[in-house]
């Protein structure tokens, strides 16, 4: 009986991992990327808010285990974003149009993205991922589209040398059911990467404006 | 030539006086204790050490995560990331006490890619990871602390231990004229410190490291 039970556990673990592998590896070139883009545009137009928890895994070649951060993410139309890290320590980033507010235990500071090119690029990138605008940016990225039964997979390779020194590739996985972002992966040179997974997503719920206040 | 010799003698005398002053101010007297090496806290090549990091430089404030990974042969890889996971710099730093060219840049974000900034950061992180591997020159004591001192060019390093403690709780880096850098280690009864504060005297540059478990 014990042996059977053990076998069952091994089988469950095997199936779990094989389904994970399939979900990541059976990607094929997207048959109709224009249709996907128009669906995403519609999603972006009709989505007034997103609320989600997230887990961020930072994989560094020098670390045996990833650095794990957790938190809550909010998006509200138009161009309002709140990244609230709760673990391993509290850290808050609020984007409200062209302004960015950063707060931790010791300090808080406000930046204007229009006077800081780096923050401007970060702002455009984050908002572009959420709204899908990034997928039309053929000027700055070589973009390829793939899919499987569960997700749309978009890979962006920066054309700009400066950006490619920082990120060699960005991969965004969109959920096929509701077109929200399930996973965001950012690859650096030497294959270090950051993977952010979004969970418990709530679309178009009421998100208070106070969430985006700078205080 | 004569002036040069006079200036050298004057500077050398001043240097000697400043040391005597440091010893007097701290009520130090020389002692003889068995030789020992002074090691960095970050010396286990099977481990990596992760700290939340806050840097104040004049009116600018930077925060993120520092990862210290000993690579062996007194070399440590130091990576600094933002909380969002964006890499700011990645250096391999050797013991500045032993190697003239003591750092290698694997990556640094473009706005910071300036030689004097890189050197400053490598120097400052270098203080935390220098595996002295050098026997101290002189030992001093006062009522509460033991000071182990060694030199590098005109810099004098004092590793300061509470009496009867085997781990140092602070490092002072003195120039010819004054203490330039104070480094304090807290929670040192564990394998590595819980927190570290590095403070430059003379320029507004401070680092605060808080261990992440």
């Amino acid at each position: 009986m014990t042996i059977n039970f053990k076998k069952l556990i091994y089988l469950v673990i095997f199936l779990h991992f094989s389904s994970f592998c399939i979900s990541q590896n059976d990607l094929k070139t997207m048959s109709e990327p224009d249709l996907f883009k128009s669906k995403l545009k519609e999603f972006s137009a009709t989505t007034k808010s997103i609320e989600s928890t997230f887990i961020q895994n930072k994989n560094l070649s020098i670390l045996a285990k990833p650095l794990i951060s957790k938190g809550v993410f909010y998006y509200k139309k138009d161009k309002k974003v709140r990244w609230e890290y709760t673990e391993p320590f509290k850290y808050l980033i609020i984007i409200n149009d062209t302004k960015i507010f950063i707060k931790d235990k010791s300090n808080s500071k406000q930046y204007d993205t229009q006077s800081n090119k780096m923050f401007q690029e970060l702002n455009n990138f984050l908002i572009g991922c959420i709204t899908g605008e990034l997928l039309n940016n053929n000027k700055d990225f070589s973009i390829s589209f793939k899919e499987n039964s569960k997700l749309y997979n978009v890979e962006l390779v920066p054309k700009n040398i400066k950006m490619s020194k920082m990120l060699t590739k960005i991969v965004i996985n969109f959920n096929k059911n509701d077109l929200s972002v399930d996973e965001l992966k950012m690859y650096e040179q030497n294959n270090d990467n950051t993977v952010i997974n979004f969970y418990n997503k709530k679309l178009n719920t009421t998100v208070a404006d106070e969430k985006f206040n700078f205080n | 030539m004569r002036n040069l010799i006079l200036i050298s003698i004057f500077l050398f005398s001043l240097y000697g006086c400043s040391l005597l002053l440091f010893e007097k101010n701290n009520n130090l007297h020389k002692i003889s204790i068995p030789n020992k090496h002074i090691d960095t806290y970050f010396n286990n090549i099977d481990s990596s050490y992760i700290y939340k990091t806050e840097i104040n430089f004049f009116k600018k404030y930077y925060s993120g995560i520092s990862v210290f990974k000993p690579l062996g042969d007194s070399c440590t890889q130091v990576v600094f990331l933002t909380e969002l996971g964006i890499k700011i710099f990645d250096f391999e730093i050797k013991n500045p006490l032993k190697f003239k060219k003591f750092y290698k840049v694997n990556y640094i974000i473009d706005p910071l890619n300036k030689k004097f900034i890189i050197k400053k950061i490598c120097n400052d992180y270098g203080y935390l990871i220098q595996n002295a591997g050098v026997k101290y020159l002189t030992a001093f004591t006062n009522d509460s602390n033991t000071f182990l001192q060694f030199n590098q060019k005109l810099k004098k390093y004092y590793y300061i231990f509470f009496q009867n403690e085997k781990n140092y709780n602070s490092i002072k880096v003195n120039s010819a004229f004054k203490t330039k850098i104070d480094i304090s280690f807290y929670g040192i009864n564990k394998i590595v410190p819980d927190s570290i504060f590095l403070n430059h005297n003379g320029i507004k540059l401070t680092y605060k490291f808080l261990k992440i478990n």
Side-chain angles (χ1 to χ4, degrees):
Chain A
M1 184 65 194
T2 317
I3 293 169
N4 286 341
F5 184 67
K6 265 188 181 173
K7 275 185 181 170
L8 185 68
I9 287 180
Y10 289 142
L11 185 67
V12 169
I13 291 170
F14 172 75
L15 287 175
H16 175 77
F17 278 101
S18 30
S19 69
F20 176 76
C21 293
I22 289 165
S23 70
Q24 294 292 308
N25 290 333
D26 65 342
L27 293 167
K28 292 175 192 162
T29 304
M30 204 182 288
S31 52
E32 293 179 282
D34 287 338
L35 181 64
F36 162 67
K37 280 200 260 182
S38 69
K39 278 185 189 172
L40 191 65
K41 198 174 173 185
E42 194 186 322
F43 167 80
S44 175
T46 54
T47 303
K48 292 184 174 63
S49 73
I50 303 170
E51 186 182 339
S52 163
T53 55
F54 69 87
I55 298 178
Q56 177 181 303
N57 283 274
K58 179 73 193 178
N59 296 294
L60 290 172
S61 56
I62 54 170
L63 290 180
K65 289 188 293 182
L67 276 170
I68 299 173
S69 309
K70 294 178 184 178
V72 192
F73 168 86
Y74 299 91
Y75 163 75
K76 188 171 185 178
K77 220 167 197 176
D78 188 27
K79 294 186 176 175
K80 292 187 181 114
V81 173
R82 179 184 173 105
W83 290 89
E84 189 179 335
Y85 286 82
T86 52
E87 292 176 43
F89 49 84
K90 288 187 178 177
Y91 184 77
L92 176 66
I93 301 177
I94 298 173
I95 301 171
N96 197 334
D97 200 8
T98 61
K99 302 269 194 296
I100 291 187
F101 176 74
I102 296 176
K103 186 180 179 185
D104 67 9
K105 199 178 165 189
S106 313
N107 213 303
S108 61
K109 198 147 191 177
Q110 191 177 319
Y111 301 89
D112 193 328
T113 60
Q114 287 174 330
S115 61
N116 187 320
K117 206 178 169 206
M118 197 177 134
F119 277 119
Q120 195 175 20
E121 282 170 8
L122 181 70
N123 189 21
N124 292 343
F125 174 72
L126 290 173
I127 300 276
C129 286
I130 299 153
T131 59
E133 281 169 23
L134 208 62
L135 310 191
N136 294 316
N137 187 349
N138 289 304
K139 187 174 137 252
D140 295 323
F141 299 98
S142 300
I143 305 172
S144 59
F145 297 88
K146 291 177 184 167
E147 67 181 324
N148 66 16
S149 58
K150 289 178 181 167
L151 55 90
Y152 293 113
N153 170 279
V154 181
E155 190 177 295
L156 301 108
V157 177
K159 290 178 180 172
N160 180 303
I161 294 171
K162 270 188 183 174
M163 175 123 189
S164 66
K165 275 186 192 169
M166 194 159 79
L167 294 174
T168 55
K169 188 170 72 174
I170 299 140
V171 178
I172 311 171
N173 285 331
F174 295 88
N175 188 304
K176 241 178 176 173
N177 288 332
D178 62 11
L179 288 169
S180 62
V181 175
D182 273 350
E183 188 176 66
L184 173 65
K185 298 184 200 174
M186 295 176 279
Y187 292 87
E188 296 154 31
Q189 286 172 354
N190 79 352
N191 246 357
D192 288 349
N193 60 69
T194 308
V195 182
I196 306 174
N197 288 95
F198 296 90
Y199 301 97
N200 309 318
K201 283 174 275 183
K202 293 174 196 164
L203 304 179
N204 295 321
T205 54
T206 306
V207 176
D209 278 334
E210 286 72 38
K211 291 271 182 210
F212 308 95
N213 285 351
F214 296 173
N215 50 39
Chain B
M1 185 66 189
R2 191 164 163 258
N3 283 348
L4 193 67
I5 292 169
L6 284 173
I7 290 168
S8 302
I9 293 168
F10 173 71
L11 287 176
F12 190 74
S13 312
L14 209 60
Y15 183 50
C17 289
S18 69
L19 292 177
L20 287 174
L21 208 60
F22 179 79
E23 289 165 25
K24 196 181 169 197
N25 285 345
N26 288 285
N27 197 22
L28 299 181
H29 53 270
K30 279 188 187 178
I31 50 165
S32 172
I33 55 173
N35 277 350
K36 66 174 178 181
H37 290 288
I38 305 165
D39 285 332
T40 167
Y41 283 106
F42 309 122
N43 59 5
N44 182 354
I45 57 168
D46 296 324
S47 296
S48 28
Y49 308 92
I50 302 164
Y51 283 80
K52 176 173 168 28
T53 305
E54 297 168 9
I55 304 171
N56 278 291
F57 180 54
F58 286 92
K59 287 181 180 172
K60 291 193 173 173
Y61 173 76
Y62 306 92
S63 74
I65 296 166
S66 294
V67 180
F68 299 88
K69 174 67 189 170
L71 302 176
D73 196 23
S74 73
C75 183
T76 304
Q77 191 165 351
V78 176
V79 180
F80 182 60
L81 315 158
T82 66
E83 288 79 355
L84 276 171
I86 297 167
K87 201 183 282 176
I88 303 296
F89 59 74
D90 177 347
F91 300 138
E92 283 174 38
I93 306 177
K94 286 186 173 181
N95 186 352
L97 296 168
K98 284 173 131 181
F99 298 92
K100 196 175 175 192
K101 173 80 181 143
F102 69 97
Y103 61 86
K104 179 183 155 204
V105 180
N106 292 331
Y107 173 77
I108 185 158
I109 201 165
D110 229 32
L112 296 180
N113 195 358
K114 295 182 174 62
K115 201 175 174 187
F116 77 95
I117 293 178
I118 293 170
K119 201 169 175 193
K120 189 88 207 145
I121 296 169
C122 288
N123 261 318
D124 288 345
Y125 275 80
Y127 293 127
L128 306 180
I129 58 181
Q130 65 191 4
N131 193 336
V134 174
K135 286 171 186 153
Y136 64 89
L137 287 174
T138 320
F140 300 92
T141 189
N142 61 16
D143 290 342
S144 48
N145 297 300
T146 302
F147 292 61
L148 301 184
Q149 176 234 316
F150 58 88
N151 302 342
Q152 185 207 27
K153 296 179 185 169
L154 285 177
K155 283 183 192 164
K156 286 200 176 288
Y157 292 82
Y158 292 90
Y159 279 71
I160 304 168
F161 300 68
F162 288 129
Q163 298 294 17
N164 305 321
E165 284 274 358
K166 65 174 188 166
N167 297 323
Y168 49 84
N169 59 72
S170 75
I171 302 172
K172 282 184 189 295
V173 184
N174 287 10
S175 71
F177 310 110
K178 61 175 182 178
T179 298
K180 290 190 84 173
I181 293 153
D182 275 304
I183 308 166
S184 303
F185 300 85
Y186 298 95
I188 53 172
N189 292 330
K190 296 167 189 170
I191 298 165
V192 288
D194 285 337
S195 58
I196 305 166
F197 295 84
L198 189 156
N199 183 39
H200 280 261
N201 298 312
I203 54 169
K204 288 181 182 169
L205 175 58
T206 60
Y207 298 76
K208 187 169 157 186
F209 299 92
L210 304 167
K211 189 167 188 303
I212 298 173
N213 295 313

